[in-house]
Amino acid sequence: MKTLKLTKKQYEILRHCLIQASECEYFNLDGLAHDEDGKVIDKKYAKEFRAYVRVLKKLEIKLNCKLT
């Protein structure tokens, strides 16, 4: 894996974009996987949603920010 050298401004822009994209994908997957009451609609999307949440939690720790 290659390490990127970013300026502080580049890092902040990348971080901001990641936060927006993760929020969009989070709500999209959540809508496909669960109904309004939180019950599972589609098991495939529910599994994908749980995996996505696990990845987001790890990224939140590394980037020191709240992604969803």
Side-chain angles (χ1 to χ4, degrees):
M1 185 183 300
K2 186 175 180 180
T3 302
L4 297 173
K5 303 284 184 184
L6 300 174
T7 64
K8 187 173 184 173
K9 183 167 178 102
Q10 288 172 329
Y11 174 78
E12 289 300 320
I13 290 170
L14 181 63
R15 186 173 175 248
H16 180 70
C17 290
L18 179 66
I19 290 169
Q20 287 182 330
S22 67
E23 185 175 309
C24 180
E25 183 67 14
Y26 177 88
F27 288 116
N28 182 36
L29 280 175
D30 188 33
L32 292 171
H34 304 99
D35 63 3
E36 293 177 4
D37 297 328
K39 295 179 181 159
V40 175
I41 297 173
D42 189 335
K43 289 183 182 182
K44 175 187 164 202
Y45 286 118
K47 183 178 179 181
E48 192 174 328
F49 176 73
R50 287 190 300 272
Y52 187 73
V53 169
R54 284 194 302 272
V55 170
L56 284 182
K57 286 182 182 184
K58 290 178 184 177
L59 283 173
E60 286 175 347
I61 293 168
K62 289 186 180 205
L63 296 174
N64 192 26
C65 65
K66 185 76 175 146
L67 294 174
T68 55

